[in-house]
Amino acid sequence: MHKYNDKINAMFENPVNVGSLDENDPNVGVGFVGSPACGDVLKIFIKVDDEDRIVDVKFKTFGCGSAIASSAVLTQKVMGLTLDEAKKITNKEIADELALPPIKTHCSVLAEEAILDAIYDLLKKRKVCKVDQTG
Amino acid sequence: MHKYNDKINAMFENPVNVGSLDENDPNVGVGFVGSPACGDVLKIFIKVDDEDRIVDVKFKTFGCGSAIASSAVLTQKVMGLTLDEAKKITNKEIADELALPPIKTHCSVLAEEAILDAIYDLLKKRKVCKVDQTG
Amino acid sequence: MNLKKGNNTDTPDRNGRVEFEQGIYLDYSATTPCDPDVVKEMFDSYKVFGNPHSITHAYGWDATALVEESRTKFANVINCSPREVIFTSGATESNNIAIQGVIRSRLDNGVAPKDIHIITTKIEHKATLETCLAMESMGIRVQYVPVQNNGIVDLKALEKAFTDKTLLVSIGWVNSELGVVQPIKAIGEMCEAKGVLLHVDAAQALGRIKIDLSDINVDLMSFSAHKFYGPKGIGALYVKKRTKISPIVFGGKQEKGLRSGTIPLQLCVGLAKAAELAENLRSDEYERMTKMQKYIVDNLTKELADIYINGDLKDRIPHNLNISFGYVEGEALMMKLKGYALSSASACSSTTLQPSYVLEAIGVDEDLIHTSLRIVLGRYTTYENVYNFVDDVIKAVNELREMSPLWDMKKSGVDLKQVKWHTH
Amino acid sequence: MNLKKGNNTDTPDRNGRVEFEQGIYLDYSATTPCDPDVVKEMFDSYKVFGNPHSITHAYGWDATALVEESRTKFANVINCSPREVIFTSGATESNNIAIQGVIRSRLDNGVAPKDIHIITTKIEHKATLETCLAMESMGIRVQYVPVQNNGIVDLKALEKAFTDKTLLVSIGWVNSELGVVQPIKAIGEMCEAKGVLLHVDAAQALGRIKIDLSDINVDLMSFSAHKFYGPKGIGALYVKKRTKISPIVFGGKQEKGLRSGTIPLQLCVGLAKAAELAENLRSDEYERMTKMQKYIVDNLTKELADIYINGDLKDRIPHNLNISFGYVEGEALMMKLKGYALSSASACSSTTLQPSYVLEAIGVDEDLIHTSLRIVLGRYTTYENVYNFVDDVIKAVNELREMSPLWDMKKSGVDLKQVKWHTH
Ligand SMILES: Cc1ncc(COP(=O)(O)O)c(C=O)c1O
Ligand SMILES: Cc1ncc(COP(=O)(O)O)c(C=O)c1O
């Protein structure tokens, strides 16, 4: 563990939005990135309303302090955004918010990948549903 | 300078028999060994009586503490000896008397050489005198 | 031996001498606080300030006397002749002198690099491994014999590794990460039979296990004072008499020409005092640590599923526990355990982002490498520290598992080995 | 500046802080007492005990902070960037890293030993000369440029020594035996023009002359704390940024990989504090020493015939006087001066029985080499010490001349050069 700044420490100690959402809900998308062998696995759940606005978001993370803090910050940032807006979140925003040390940049990258993966999951789910409905 | 034992120190501080004798006296032999470049020069003067017994002895030494102490010890040892007895003095006797450290053995060697040189000088002088007398 | 919380109130008599303002220190293998008695002795010795190399006055003689007294004290602790001890700046330098020095003496004699073969293991300290790597780049042949999954050198594999060109075997006695103890006596006998030199890195051994050089066949042994409650900046190298070895640093030919440089006499005093103290306290400490270790292992394994102790549980020093906590990342666990100073094998806690090569080498599952914590008890650890620590670990692991997606998967029966991971 | 016995009663404010129970210490170039303020600061720092390499807890962070603070303090004294300072165990190790390291970086790049040429002088410290000798035995070409009879490097000879293969020039700034100060600025300009690296051994320079690395073109510079009233066992190496250099000792890659081994933080604190103190006191000390030196020279030359000062009298530090007392052997003179701690270039005072190679190299008459004394004044030398010393020297020299056969010969007009000596 590195000597972290107060922001990272605070977010690690009291992370917001830890938990999970019902993966079977068609309005829930799940992002799942990383691997145990690499030392971090991030799972993010987003729930959207009819306007594709994110109305609920949860995460579970296996990883170091920065990974957990980055996950939590990600959930704070995407809450209330539309999917299109959420897509535009960059790892830099997360890293800047936490003032991540350079060696921990990959944690913010993983967070960015997680939200994209969640959005992708949601869209995939819908397509399957649409196909089902129209088929 | 090495950490010397008390004997060497005492003999260095209060050396006996420092001085010189009249080199022109036919009963005085002078030993002169060593060199400034080697760091020690020893000059010893012995004066003998009619029975070739050493009745006076002096030295002057340029050299380290051990060289000076060895010179003084030599003069103590030869005083009162006949030339034949003095010839038999070994460097070991001097080194032992002073408990010279091994690295200083050469000082006692020089002392031994000095007395031999003085005896040689005396004998040489006599021969020349004899030649003079008989010639 | 059956320690129960609360019924071991005895604290070592050295407690309270060192202040631990930054939390309970459980990283005694990284370094140790310099014992206050050692600090005091060094402090007092500053009035002897001469250069031991000054032979022309009493300041130098007094300095030499103090250095030689320290050398003798230290030699007595490890049971060898004072003439076989040279002072160095630490175990890193000792290892380098031992390995490079023995090799250099052969190179100086015209032996070709490719005709020099040395043997070590993959779990050595970097001071050994990086030196071997540098030797390899010079053309020396280096063979890394495997260790078993419990971290102990495989003696059969070692025996097979010898060739007729083998010059040196270099093995650490107590491994700094795992705490396992290698069978140095047996290895020494093997080396003796083969006519091969043995270098042992004993940086983690002194004060923890008995070191008796008259009882084992070792040619070179490395020590570091700051690992046994002595000062940083000094170590020692035991060099058995008649060992052929050349210096790697050149100068005033101090320390029999093997380690040039003004001898740091205050540090010599500190090393010797620390070694004596460590040896005097050794067996009591061993007993105390054994009880503490048992308490930790018993209670953690009772309360927590999926934890694994790395390195043999029997052939280890009781001071060290290296534990993998499944589904919990090591650095995050350390952050939860804010009141403790620990180290982890996690990549996240290193400056290089490379996870522990030691755990890798003993075949720890790659999923578990990042979940490991190294807990090292020492002279100032109290039973109370240990009781609290165990409670806090259990709580922290449970909390982190609550937020671990892997723990969810494991509970719902997913085999993590079968999962296809999205790695970048 | 015209010091007369008795009219300089000012004593430096640091007097009385160090006890000199073994006589007046006049060997401040061999080593210096660790200043009590430095000892105290180190002593206090022992409560910070973490390993600066431990990045997982506050004990490690605090240790790192203290090391980096010390590095910055030291860098400020020599006016370079803290990133250009690495800590070593002393100047011997610094010289070795500098010389071996620069060479090794070229060898690592495939340059053949015979294509590497380095330049030094015959009057360097053994830490440089022995390293160069070891490099020669590896096939590196080493050229020893002559110095003038005053001990100063002959710049023309230096200029001529450069070849198109010259990699490095290594020169000591202040010579430890003679006290002469080399023209480092000019040498730096020459090296820069030739595109050659310059290593300067400044072990004897810090605290005595101004060191401003921004003002000179030097690539590597060695320091040793015990030469400037700091602890033994630590030094530093300035490595100008972008200098290509490889390590010679391998391990945990501390100090930018150039000097592996746990950083001895208490010693770093001591080195930095000592350097600050030495720099703060430098100019006052310089003035004091200048007066003392003048008093000694004036009075000895007035009272004693046939004495010779070795090394330039102008381009020298005022702290050092190296004097040949004709017809008097140096060790015996020291023994007469029992109340003083001095060193001599005499073979008799060395463990090897080899007289000073430095005096030989500057062409001191072989008859005089054995008659030399090195008198080095320092922080705790008082005027009273100096007055008494001069009186005692005069007395001792006269006494020894009284018993010197050479003095008799000289008085009676014998030319010693013409004498045929009976040498064995
Ligand atoms: C087994 C082992 N060898 C060598 C070292 C290096 O010791 P030092 O810090 O004294 O250079 C260490 C500690 O870092 C160690 O644990
Ligand atoms: C000029 C010079 N270089 C190097 C050294 C060696 O320094 P250390 O004793 O720190 O190894 C010394 C002192 O002995 C010295 O005077």
Side-chain angles (χ1 to χ4, degrees), chain B residues 1-3, chain C residues 55-56 61:
Chain B
M1 149 176 104
H2 295 256
K3 188 175 183 168
Chain C
I55 56 160
T56 58
W61 305 332

Side-chain angles (χ1 to χ4, degrees), chain D residues 180-200:
Chain D
V180 295
V181 181
Q182 302 297 348
I184 291 302
K185 196 172 162 93
I187 295 172
E189 280 160 15
M190 196 184 286
C191 288
E192 185 164 35
K194 306 264 184 195
V196 163
L197 295 174
L198 174 60
H199 165 241
V200 172

Side-chain angles (χ1 to χ4, degrees), chain C residues 164-225:
Chain C
D164 57 349
K165 292 181 172 160
T166 306
L167 168 65
L168 175 77
V169 172
S170 177
I171 306 256
W173 199 338
V174 173
N175 184 276
S176 59
E177 283 203 31
L178 302 171
V180 295
V181 180
Q182 302 297 349
I184 291 302
K185 196 172 161 93
I187 295 171
E189 280 159 14
M190 195 183 287
C191 288
E192 187 164 34
K194 307 264 183 196
V196 163
L197 295 173
L198 175 59
H199 165 242
V200 173
D201 179 350
Q204 297 284 348
L206 200 151
R208 287 160 162 182
I209 59 174
K210 176 72 192 164
I211 298 181
D212 179 352
L213 280 162
S214 75
D215 182 49
I216 50 181
N217 177 66
V218 172
D219 302 283
L220 299 140
M221 193 174 279
S222 304
F223 302 93
S224 179

Side-chain angles (χ1 to χ4, degrees), chain A residues 44-97:
Chain A
I44 187 168
F45 306 79
I46 49 172
K47 179 172 183 165
V48 291
D49 64 10
D50 295 347
E51 270 124 52
D52 271 359
R53 190 169 292 278
I54 297 174
V55 292
D56 202 358
V57 52
K58 297 279 178 215
F59 80 93
K60 289 218 167 179
T61 291
F62 163 86
C64 64
S66 298
I68 290 173
S70 297
S71 309
V73 165
L74 172 70
T75 61
Q76 282 182 321
K77 283 206 174 296
V78 298
M79 182 63 139
L81 299 188
T82 62
L83 290 185
D84 278 348
E85 286 165 348
K87 259 187 218 165
K88 291 185 193 126
I89 295 249
T90 64
N91 79 295
K92 194 166 175 310
E93 280 171 72
I94 296 164
D96 287 352
E97 168 110 13

Side-chain angles (χ1 to χ4, degrees), chain D residues 126-250:
Chain D
K126 287 282 183 194
T128 297
L129 288 180
E130 292 286 327
T131 305
C132 288
L133 212 62
M135 297 299 99
E136 278 189 279
S137 78
M138 282 170 52
I140 310 293
R141 304 291 156 91
V142 182
Q143 191 158 344
Y144 301 88
V145 296
V147 296
Q148 305 168 81
N149 284 351
N150 61 0
I152 307 291
V153 171
D154 182 339
L155 289 179
K156 290 217 188 72
L158 178 61
E159 176 123 42
K160 270 194 224 137
F162 286 88
T163 76
D164 56 349
K165 291 180 173 161
T166 306
L167 169 63
L168 175 76
V169 172
S170 177
I171 307 255
W173 199 337
V174 174
N175 185 275
S176 59
E177 284 203 33
L178 302 173
V180 295
V181 181
Q182 302 297 348
I184 291 302
K185 196 172 162 93
I187 295 172
E189 280 160 15
M190 196 184 286
C191 288
E192 185 164 35
K194 306 264 184 195
V196 163
L197 295 174
L198 174 60
H199 165 241
V200 172
D201 179 349
Q204 298 283 352
L206 200 150
R208 287 161 162 183
I209 57 173
K210 176 74 192 164
I211 297 181
D212 178 353
L213 281 161
S214 76
D215 182 48
I216 49 181
N217 178 64
V218 172
D219 302 283
L220 299 140
M221 193 174 278
S222 302
F223 302 93
S224 179
H226 75 92
K227 303 287 188 185
F228 50 85
Y229 309 89
K232 293 172 175 56
I234 185 152
L237 180 64
Y238 160 79
V239 184
K240 192 195 237 157
K241 53 180 167 305
R242 284 188 289 273
T243 303
K244 283 192 206 119
I245 182 163
S246 297
I248 61 174
V249 153
F250 308 93

